[in-house]
Amino acid sequence: MAGILLAACTLNGGGDWKGDPEKINSIREGMTQAEVKSILGEATQVVDQEMMAGMRLTIWEYRGPNDRLTVGFEPEKGTVWSTVRNGTEIISPKVE
């Protein structure tokens, strides 16, 4: 369910991110926000989203003319939890 929400977030609006969308494949679960920023650059939007059961997730969106990328971070750890490119999960969220 969380993946569906993340996928939906990536499909709203346009953006001017000019990065290389293929670099999303370099993002790994557990990476820090600083590591992601060094690979993808500045996000076009940052959202603090409440998920199911009171869990919160920080979402970085990268919206370019032809691609939409989403990186979800666990706020307690500040590390990558999931990634989505154009509605397709690359790193699927693990719900414990």
Side-chain angles (χ1 to χ4, degrees), residues 22-36:
E22 293 299 322
K23 288 187 176 182
I24 191 79
N25 297 317
S26 300
I27 305 300
R28 299 286 176 248
E29 184 176 356
M31 282 185 160
T32 65
Q33 292 179 351
E35 290 171 316
V36 171

Side-chain angles (χ1 to χ4, degrees), residues 18-56:
K18 306 275 192 269
D20 179 359
E22 293 299 322
K23 288 187 176 182
I24 191 79
N25 297 317
S26 300
I27 305 300
R28 299 286 176 248
E29 184 176 356
M31 282 185 160
T32 65
Q33 292 179 351
E35 290 171 316
V36 171
K37 189 174 182 179
S38 74
I39 294 169
L40 295 178
E42 200 69 44
T44 54
Q45 183 174 2
V46 176
V47 177
D48 187 28
Q49 181 72 45
E50 185 165 344
M51 307 297 281
M52 57 191 153
M55 179 181 161
R56 297 199 69 77

